[in-house]
Amino acid sequence: MSTTTTTTITLLLLLLSTTVTAAITTASSDITALKAIKSSINPTTISPFTCLHSWDFSSDPCSPPHVTHFLCGLTCSSNRVTQLTLDSAGYSGTLPPLVSQLTQLITIDLSDNRFHGPIPNSLFSLPNLQTLILGSNSFSGVIPPAISNLKKIQTLDISHNSLSGSLPNSLTQLTELTRLDLSFNKLTGPVPELPKNLIQLELKSNSLSGYLQKRSFTWSTQLEVIELSQNSLAGTIPAWFFLTPSLQQINLSNNSFTGVQVLNPVRSNLVAVNLGFNQLAGYAPANFAAYPNLVSLTLSYNKLRGRIPWEYSKFSRVFLDGNYLIGLPPKEFFGRKRSISGSLGDNCLKSCPAYSELCVKSQKPWSICQKAYRGKLEQKL
Ligand SMILES: *[C@@H]1O[C@H](CO)[C@@H](O)[C@H](O)[C@H]1NC(C)=O
Ligand SMILES: *[C@@H]1O[C@H](CO)[C@@H](O)[C@H](O)[C@H]1NC(C)=O
């Protein structure tokens, strides 16, 4: 190698290394925020070999190479922190309001830790946040109306925490939101008005109450999944609900609904409906069979009476156990060509064939059935 080439290479390397180190010096407001986050965590819960353990502020958080310090937990774009994604290491602590100084954050994921206390209001004002995942912690407090400031939020998951209070109607302003998961909290009040681009609504296991109101679902024409099981919703499940244009899966099981109305759809993508463990009275609605893509129907543990609609034999999964259904089960259910899975047990059916999986669970005692039909069961059979 000639001396000139060596000199050129040395110069180039020097230039490169200086540009790399000189260009990236994390914004001081971001450093302040990161320090506040680390110091709000109980140090005894920061074990060796975890992300937070490697956060050593004697070096710059955003400057590579990350050989010993800032090994994980954050991502930068030039000198700003864009992702805060902590490992599930059992960190216990609170989230300080200063977190909102990380104004370039696009993603926050603190799931599966032991964060507690309120979610700072300032977090709900981060203008660039697209993904907020705080699931499986112990956050408490209410969801403030100011959540509408998260103008770019797409995924919001605060499931498995201790959030309380009702859901704000300002959710409609989150026009980019596609997935909302607040399952397993202590939320109360009605289902709020939903934003227009929501695809997945998960509110399982809360204490939501009231009726299903049309205005909640007016704008959400993209909604594919509604999971509202294990709440205290009541009243009649209205016919328009099943006609929400993009719906594929509905789970309203384990609520306090007392009736259901079903109309024939013009068009529907509905695949699975679960209305089990409610107080549904009246007949099993035959109109469900008019939903062209519906394959799975669960009406278990309600107070349904009368005969099983023969139309239900078009489904591949039918759970009707735990009602007061009478008569002979439709023979189409036991055809050799196609098999239906599910259950018809714990009803008042006559001759549910013992060889069929559908009839494994036995029927109710005659006396209980007689009582349900006020002693007029003979006339019905
Ligand atoms: C119904 O929900 C309650 C409360 O969330 C729960 O304790 C119960 O186990 C649930 N029952 C079923 C059958 O899912
Ligand atoms: C619906 O909710 C019940 C109760 O929470 C649950 O057991 C069931 O797996 C859920 N999903 C479907 C598709 O039925």
Side-chain angles (χ1 to χ4, degrees):
M1 232 189 280
S2 75
T3 334
T4 18
T5 334
T6 322
T7 322
T8 321
I9 291 175
T10 317
L11 262 169
L12 257 169
L13 279 173
L14 229 133
L15 212 93
L16 255 170
S17 64
T18 45
T19 43
V20 166
T21 45
I24 302 167
T25 314
T26 311
S28 61
S29 53
D30 281 14
I31 296 183
T32 315
L34 294 175
K35 282 181 176 166
I37 291 166
K38 182 165 179 180
S39 60
S40 319
I41 309 266
N42 178 347
T44 63
T45 64
I46 305 179
S47 324
F49 311 111
T50 60
C51 291
L52 275 187
H53 195 262
S54 75
W55 287 20
D56 177 341
F57 293 92
S58 64
S59 71
D60 187 75
C62 289
S63 304
H66 298 292
V67 179
T68 50
H69 298 152
F70 294 100
L71 293 178
C72 53
L74 54 87
T75 306
C76 300
S77 173
S78 72
N79 70 332
R80 299 301 307 272
V81 177
T82 54
Q83 292 194 31
L84 179 63
T85 47
L86 289 185
D87 43 347
S88 312
Y91 303 126
S92 172
T94 57
L95 193 58
L98 274 179
V99 67
S100 65
Q101 284 192 181
L102 301 170
T103 54
Q104 293 303 309
L105 273 181
I106 295 169
T107 302
I108 300 181
D109 185 348
L110 308 178
S111 56
D112 284 302
N113 279 294
R114 288 186 277 141
F115 281 93
H116 49 82
I119 300 168
N121 268 352
S122 61
L123 186 75
F124 295 113
S125 66
L126 286 171
N128 297 302
L129 206 58
Q130 292 174 13
T131 304
L132 177 58
I133 303 179
L134 304 175
S136 301
N137 279 287
S138 301
F139 285 114
S140 56
V142 302
I143 298 173
I147 195 172
S148 60
N149 292 327
L150 293 176
K151 293 290 180 225
K152 294 191 179 164
I153 199 80
Q154 293 170 6
T155 298
L156 186 57
D157 177 349
I158 320 180
S159 60
H160 295 271
N161 278 279
S162 295
L163 300 178
S164 56
S166 54
L167 286 156
N169 271 325
S170 61
L171 283 182
T172 46
Q173 292 168 43
L174 306 180
T175 53
E176 305 290 313
L177 188 64
T178 55
R179 180 164 174 264
L180 177 64
D181 190 348
L182 298 171
S183 302
F184 298 93
N185 277 287
K186 297 171 180 167
L187 299 168
T188 53
V191 177
E193 292 179 39
L194 300 168
K196 67 175 177 157
N197 284 311
L198 196 64
I199 295 174
Q200 218 176 324
L201 175 69
E202 309 261 353
L203 292 169
K204 179 176 181 164
S205 202
N206 278 285
S207 300
L208 301 177
S209 59
Y211 305 144
L212 292 175
Q213 299 190 59
K214 194 159 190 177
R215 68 159 189 270
S216 308
F217 300 89
T218 306
W219 313 111
S220 51
T221 54
Q222 311 296 312
L223 208 49
E224 293 177 3
V225 177
I226 296 183
E227 168 56 277
L228 286 168
S229 69
Q230 300 187 32
N231 279 287
S232 303
L233 298 167
T236 295
I237 305 167
W240 58 257
F241 181 72
F242 299 103
L243 300 171
T244 307
S246 305
L247 270 191
Q248 294 177 17
Q249 289 181 53
I250 295 175
N251 199 341
L252 298 180
S253 76
N254 207 350
N255 276 282
S256 304
F257 291 110
T258 48
V260 54
Q261 291 171 346
V262 186
L263 289 175
N264 288 358
V266 176
R267 212 179 14 249
S268 167
N269 298 320
L270 209 52
V271 174
V273 172
N274 188 340
L275 309 180
F277 295 91
N278 278 284
Q279 311 285 327
L280 301 179
Y283 298 132
N287 287 352
F288 272 130
Y291 283 72
N293 299 315
L294 194 63
V295 291
S296 177
L297 178 65
T298 303
L299 298 170
S300 307
Y301 293 91
N302 279 288
K303 294 176 174 171
L304 298 173
R305 297 147 67 93
R307 291 169 192 274
I308 299 174
W310 63 266
E311 291 93 336
Y312 282 10
S313 59
K314 66 164 274 199
F315 299 133
S316 37
R317 293 160 55 82
V318 186
F319 293 85
L320 300 173
D321 48 322
N323 284 288
Y324 297 95
L325 299 170
I326 55 170
L328 290 169
K331 61 178 188 310
E332 292 84 355
F333 274 63
F334 312 102
R336 278 168 188 270
K337 285 205 198 101
R338 45 188 307 271
S339 64
I340 297 177
S341 66
S343 177
L344 305 178
D346 198 9
N347 274 296
C348 300
L349 296 171
K350 206 162 77 174
S351 4
C352 203
Y355 65 82
S356 168
E357 285 284 330
L358 295 170
C359 303
V360 168
K361 213 183 290 175
S362 59
Q363 299 297 309
K364 284 186 165 74
W366 175 256
S367 59
I368 288 177
C369 293
Q370 261 302 15
K371 210 169 152 192
Y373 285 87
R374 300 203 184 117
K376 295 181 178 160
L377 193 50
E378 274 96 349
Q379 288 111 292
K380 309 245 174 217
L381 293 176

